[in-house]
Amino acid sequence: MSDQSTDTNKAQRPDRRALSSAARLYAVQALFQMEASSQGADRIQQEFLTYRIDVDHPDGRTPEADEALFGRIVDDAVTWQSRIDQATDRGLVAKWPIDRIDPVLRALFRAAGAELVTPKTPPKVVIVEYVRLAEAFFPDGREPKFVNAVLDHMAREIRPDAF
């Protein structure tokens, strides 16, 4: 096989990291939408799979995502929400329980918590990925540092064996 053929095959293969990052972004958005609209996980996931993930829009094509990871994060966030919220509360300042923080941050903590509760992804990867999302959602604020601190606390509580 020629070098050019190898390069073409690499270019056609989806970047697993990009697909995972997109799945995390969509999961945070889906969890936010679930809370804002009081709709269930199944309905929101179907909406995302039909209308948002890897679809043509007048403004351009939306990014592909690891649909299995997207579904797992949303499902696990719902299944383990109480445990995740409790761990988040313990990582927050006592005067700021999870129900008082920005709803985007709440969705972000729940998505990250879903990945921490299930040991498929190393905690350090979870923290880095969700801090990057916080930087995208809050480019000019202190939120990324706040997210880093809270997720570090959550990860050490939920998965102490990984540290």
Side-chain angles (χ1 to χ4, degrees):
M1 190 182 280
S2 72
D3 289 337
Q4 184 177 10
S5 174
T6 303
D7 289 343
T8 302
N9 288 340
K10 286 181 183 177
Q12 292 174 348
R13 271 190 268 150
D15 177 0
R16 290 178 55 93
R17 186 175 187 191
L19 293 176
S20 296
S21 293
R24 290 178 175 105
L25 170 64
Y26 287 129
V28 170
Q29 292 173 334
L31 292 168
F32 173 86
Q33 185 174 329
M34 285 172 54
E35 182 177 339
S37 67
S38 299
Q39 294 180 349
D42 291 340
R43 184 170 181 172
I44 297 295
Q45 284 183 57
Q46 190 57 50
E47 179 182 321
F48 271 74
L49 294 171
T50 304
Y51 300 108
R52 297 192 186 188
I53 298 175
D54 193 25
V55 260
D56 287 319
H57 283 287
D59 296 337
R61 188 156 193 85
T62 61
E64 288 182 74
D66 179 335
E67 293 177 12
L69 177 60
F70 165 75
R72 191 174 78 237
I73 292 169
V74 173
D75 288 341
D76 287 348
V78 171
T79 300
W80 298 104
Q81 182 174 328
S82 177
R83 181 178 178 197
I84 293 166
D85 286 357
Q86 289 170 7
T88 304
D89 275 341
R90 288 188 288 273
L92 295 169
V93 176
K95 295 179 184 177
W96 289 99
I98 192 167
D99 61 339
R100 289 187 61 194
I101 64 172
D102 182 283
V104 173
L105 288 174
R106 197 165 36 248
L108 191 143
F109 288 135
R110 287 177 176 156
E115 289 201 73
L116 291 171
V117 169
T118 57
K120 294 181 188 268
T121 306
K124 291 179 182 183
V125 171
V126 172
I127 293 168
V128 166
E129 287 291 318
Y130 286 95
V131 167
R132 283 185 187 151
L133 283 177
E135 290 168 346
F137 284 117
F138 304 98
D140 299 324
R142 294 186 211 169
E143 289 86 352
K145 289 180 181 178
F146 173 65
V147 166
N148 186 60
V150 172
L151 290 181
D152 183 68
H153 185 276
M154 289 172 65
R156 290 175 188 279
E157 178 184 323
I158 295 170
R159 305 255 304 272
D161 55 308
F163 290 91

